[in-house]
Amino acid sequence: MGSPRVLVVEHQESCPPRLVGDWLEEAGCTLAVCRPYAGDDLPTLVSYDAAVVLGGEMSANDDDTVPWLAPLKSGIRDAVAGGTPLLGICLGHQVVAAALGGRVERNARGQIVGLQPVGWTAAAADDVWASARTATETVIHWNNDVVVEMPPESVVLARSPGGEVQAARFGPRAWGIQAHPEADSDVVRRWAESDREDHVALGLDQDEVLAAIESARPALAGHWRPMVQRFAAIAAGAEALR
């Protein structure tokens, strides 16, 4: 089958592909990381075997101030229409939803931070990607915005404890997850430092959150490496289309 070429769109230096990138490479993928914030031109998504769109601090609605968002959304629509496997992570999940006609807003419940259980829906059992789940997953959340209206013909695959869309299928080979399976402790510590003043004001104990994430590191890898490996297999054409 060869080595699937996977485009990774990185929105900012503090939100790298990290663990997801490592697991894709372990599964035989060749990564091309595009950093438009650093001046990289955004390539055509459909020219790759698959694409991963990462997180970032900006909003999925910031087309006027983030110059690559509108072209990325156009590329996402082409990828979904053409069947290019696509995975959006946190902001990436929101960008995919917005590109396809969904709506993204600030979460009325406030920022979600730290480990959360994954509330898989019945639809996940028959999903090509989500069927790799153990059904006992936890995952790191670090987000202010959420998808409040799903695009037409998309399917909710998981909801967070507050009821927010946590994972979704946006097309036969397009998925999004609101959380951060790619983040390790070093990445999360950087986010915590950036948000320290806000969390102090909220009374959130960052040390406790970070300690819990570090303790869960082996379990998180056990939960999400198989999911990323399944996406790599889809990229390689090893999974039958539904």
Side-chain angles (χ1 to χ4, degrees), residues 122-133 157 168-169 171-172 175 230 242:
D126 296 322
D127 182 79
V128 174
W129 173 65
S131 60
R133 75 203 187 291
L157 298 176
R169 182 175 67 244
W175 297 272
R230 175 61 63 91
R242 297 275 177 197

Side-chain angles (χ1 to χ4, degrees), residues 74-114:
S74 178
I76 285 169
R77 288 189 287 271
D78 290 343
V80 173
T84 299
L86 177 66
L87 178 63
I89 294 174
C90 198
L91 171 65
H93 157 79
Q94 297 162 12
V95 171
V96 175
L100 299 175
R103 188 159 52 91
V104 176
E105 293 182 356
R106 187 73 57 154
N107 190 348
R109 296 177 58 244
Q111 188 183 37
I112 302 177
V113 175

Side-chain angles (χ1 to χ4, degrees), residues 87-94 107 109 112 114-121 124 129-130 135-143 145-148 150 155-170 175-181 224 227:
L87 178 63
I89 294 174
C90 198
L91 171 65
H93 157 79
Q94 297 162 12
N107 190 348
R109 296 177 58 244
I112 302 177
L115 295 174
Q116 299 282 320
V118 179
W120 297 108
T121 67
W129 173 65
T136 61
E137 280 81 5
T138 57
V139 70
I140 300 167
H141 276 258
W142 208 282
N143 58 280
D145 293 355
V146 290
V147 176
V148 296
M150 291 280 282
V155 177
V156 176
L157 298 176
R159 291 191 180 275
S160 64
E164 300 89 352
V165 177
Q166 194 175 36
R169 182 175 67 244
F170 295 114
W175 297 272
I177 179 166
Q178 179 59 73
H180 287 283
W224 295 103
M227 300 284 289

Side-chain angles (χ1 to χ4, degrees), residues 209-230:
V209 170
L210 294 173
I213 289 172
E214 178 61 26
S215 295
R217 183 163 50 92
L220 290 169
H223 290 158
W224 295 103
R225 182 184 278 113
M227 300 284 289
V228 174
Q229 290 173 336
R230 175 61 63 91

Side-chain angles (χ1 to χ4, degrees), residues 2-6 22-31 232 236:
S3 177
R5 296 171 60 248
V6 180
D22 292 345
W23 296 333
L24 286 171
E25 289 180 331
E26 284 177 8
C29 297
T30 299
L31 304 188

Side-chain angles (χ1 to χ4, degrees), residues 186-232:
D186 289 340
V187 168
V188 175
R189 284 192 195 96
R190 294 187 62 183
W191 299 345
E193 185 60 34
S194 177
D195 285 347
R196 186 171 300 281
E197 289 186 8
D198 290 342
H199 291 168
V200 168
L202 291 172
L204 180 68
D205 187 335
Q206 285 192 342
D207 291 338
E208 183 178 322
V209 170
L210 294 173
I213 289 172
E214 178 61 26
S215 295
R217 183 163 50 92
L220 290 169
H223 290 158
W224 295 103
R225 182 184 278 113
M227 300 284 289
V228 174
Q229 290 173 336
R230 175 61 63 91
F231 184 75

